[in-house]
């Protein structure tokens, strides 16, 4: 997900807005990507005081007889923000007020916890001036140790997962909410409790479905870093774009309880080099800075990671680690 501010480009009267997808440089992927615009395009309008896009953030701090959550929203101008929390049935369980940009801690009594077995979803509506933004979220904790593995709400959880690409098979690459929900439901019914996005940041529609059905997610950033797998792939732009793409992925995922892991890449030849290790550490540090409550990994192919030792040609794009 990405967005741009077009305010300065508008003028009084009629305006024509064009959103163009250019996919002429081929080959640029190892799998079917489709072409054109295959995820929703929205036009947001606001005036005076409003909540900034993707700024409403909710996370669980602790659980017990009462659950404590952290709330934050940024507004265009300094001011107050009111947060209304509703339970899975839509009943108001609390209303809290704070300042724009400040973290507000709130207690939710007798909270119903989100997990793969009980995917309870709450709703948070943030209001300022005449504007309001609503997000769903789950109350759950996530811990991971070498001794006991992953735990959701303190309960040891075994991941039974599979990988999915972004397209919907014969109906194409367009992100259709019902199609995303259908395959998520089918995965759950087949006995899976987790999926990995191969090899792309997962769509909001699929994340919504995973929240609803209780499917855990490893969200993956990309299929390559600086080593090309096709002549016109993302390696041409990776060093210039990696920080921006990480920030977009984390902003998209932040409120989704289904997301437990970020993957910095898939079968990356760079991993077998000192520079690749530096790149990976840079990305992991940035992710943890933006979202300290989830974990990072990398989908490593041991043979590819050997890089030049296996006769793999390394072609690096320009740029530098920032």
């Amino acid at each position: 997900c990405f967005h741009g501010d077009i305010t300065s480009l508008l003028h009084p009267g009629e305006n024509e807005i064009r959103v163009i997808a250019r996919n002429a440089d081929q080959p640029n992927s190892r799998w079917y990507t489709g072409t054109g615009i295959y995820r929703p395009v929205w036009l947001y309008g606001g005036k005076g005081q409003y909540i900034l896009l993707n700024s409403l953030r909710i996370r669980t701090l602790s659980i017990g007889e009462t659950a404590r959550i952290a709330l934050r929203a940024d507004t265009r101008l300094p001011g107050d923000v009111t947060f209304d929390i509703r339970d899975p049935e839509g009943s108001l369980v609390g209303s809290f007020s704070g300042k724009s940009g400040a973290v507000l801690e709130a207690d939710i009594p007798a909270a119903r916890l989100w997990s793969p077995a009980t995917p309870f979803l709450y709703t948070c509506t943030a209001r300022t001036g005449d504007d309001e933004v609503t997000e769903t979220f789950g109350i759950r904790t996530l811990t991971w140790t070498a001794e006991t593995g992953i735990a959701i709400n303190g309960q040891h959880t075994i991941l039974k997962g599979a990988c999915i690409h972004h397209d919907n098979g014969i109906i194409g690459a367009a992100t259709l909410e019902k199609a995303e929900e259908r395959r998520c439901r089918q995965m759950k019914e087949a006995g899976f409790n987790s999926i990995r996005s191969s090899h792309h940041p997962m769509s909001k529609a699929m994340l919504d479905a995973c929240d609803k059905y209780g499917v855990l997610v490893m969200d993956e950033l990309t299929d390559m870093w600086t080593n090309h797998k096709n002549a016109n792939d993302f390696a041409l732009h990776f060093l210039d774009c990696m920080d921006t793409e990480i920030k977009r992925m984390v902003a998209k995922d932040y409120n989704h309880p289904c997301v437990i892991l970020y993957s910095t890449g898939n079968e990356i030849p760079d991993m077998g080099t000192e520079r690749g290790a530096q790149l990976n550490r840079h990305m992991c540090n940035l992710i943890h800075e933006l979202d300290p409550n989830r974990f990072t990994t990398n989908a490593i192919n041991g043979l590819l990671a050997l890089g030049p030792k296996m006769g793999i040609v390394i072609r690096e794009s320009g740029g530098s680690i920032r």
Side-chain angles (χ1 to χ4, degrees):
C1 294
F2 64 93
H3 63 274
D5 188 345
I6 62 172
T7 304
S8 63
L9 304 176
L10 301 178
H11 57 79
E14 293 186 1
N15 292 267
E16 180 183 31
I17 301 172
R18 294 182 181 180
V19 182
I20 300 171
R22 182 182 178 276
N23 196 31
D25 295 333
Q26 297 289 337
N28 58 25
S29 177
R30 297 189 300 153
W31 62 87
Y32 172 67
T33 62
T35 193
I37 298 170
Y38 51 84
R39 290 186 180 173
V41 178
W42 300 95
L43 178 63
Y44 294 93
K47 61 180 180 179
Q49 179 72 324
Y50 57 84
I51 296 170
L52 300 180
L53 194 62
N54 293 332
S55 75
L56 174 55
R57 300 288 180 92
I58 313 115
R59 66 184 179 95
T60 304
L61 299 176
S62 62
I63 56 175
E65 292 184 5
T66 296
R68 173 154 289 194
I69 63 174
L71 305 166
R72 173 177 175 166
D74 299 329
T75 60
R76 175 176 175 267
L77 302 170
D80 296 329
V81 182
T82 299
F83 304 89
D84 292 337
I85 308 297
R86 297 185 180 275
D87 66 16
E89 284 70 46
S91 299
L92 184 68
V93 297
S95 186
F96 313 92
S97 294
K99 295 293 184 182
S100 169
V103 176
L104 173 67
E105 295 187 5
D107 291 330
I108 308 298
R112 297 156 71 180
L113 305 183
W114 187 98
S115 73
T118 60
F120 294 120
L121 290 174
Y122 284 73
T123 301
C124 175
T125 299
R127 293 181 285 109
T128 186
D130 296 326
D131 188 36
E132 67 176 40
V133 173
T134 298
E135 289 271 5
T136 58
F137 69 99
I139 298 175
R140 65 111 176 94
T141 59
L142 176 65
T143 54
W144 205 324
T145 66
E147 293 77 20
T148 60
I150 188 171
I152 306 293
N153 304 323
Q155 298 295 314
H156 176 61
T157 302
I158 297 175
L159 302 185
K160 301 175 182 178
C163 302
I164 60 169
H165 282 218
H166 82 97
D167 64 280
N168 278 289
I170 61 173
I171 64 174
T175 297
L176 307 172
E177 290 185 11
K178 292 299 182 182
E180 300 285 66
E181 185 169 311
R182 175 179 177 272
R183 60 177 175 159
C184 183
R185 185 176 65 250
Q186 287 181 316
M187 296 285 285
K188 192 66 181 288
E189 292 172 350
F192 295 94
N193 70 354
S194 56
I195 56 178
R196 163 179 168 243
S197 62
S198 306
H199 311 281
H200 60 284
M202 188 174 284
S203 72
K204 284 283 287 183
M206 191 63 177
L207 292 174
D208 288 341
C210 291
D211 285 345
K212 177 179 178 180
Y213 288 102
V215 176
L216 304 173
V217 170
M218 177 198 296
D219 207 359
E220 194 158 78
L221 178 67
T222 183
D223 186 42
M224 77 288 297
W225 296 347
T226 63
N227 283 325
H228 288 267
K229 295 179 179 178
N230 268 307
N232 297 293
D233 60 24
F234 191 43
L236 291 168
H237 312 287
F238 178 75
L239 291 176
D240 295 325
C241 298
M242 62 179 179
D243 285 10
T244 299
E245 295 306 317
I246 286 172
K247 291 174 183 177
R248 288 170 174 171
M249 180 174 68
V250 173
K252 169 181 62 68
D253 292 6
Y254 195 90
N255 294 330
H256 289 277
C258 65
V259 179
I260 61 170
L261 271 168
Y262 297 108
S263 168
T264 57
N266 169 65
E267 299 181 335
I268 304 295
D270 312 48
M271 284 297 294
T273 68
E274 181 178 351
R275 184 165 181 260
Q278 293 172 347
L279 281 171
N280 193 55
R281 176 50 51 200
H282 169 83
M283 288 185 281
C284 289
N285 286 344
L286 178 56
I287 290 172
H288 292 148
E289 178 184 333
L290 298 168
D291 186 349
N293 302 292
R294 292 182 173 98
F295 305 100
T296 59
T297 187
N298 188 286
I300 297 175
N301 180 313
L303 291 177
L304 282 177
L306 288 173
K309 296 177 183 178
M310 295 296 293
I312 296 173
V313 177
I314 298 176
R315 295 169 55 195
E316 296 183 349
S317 54
S320 59
I321 303 175
R322 295 175 296 283

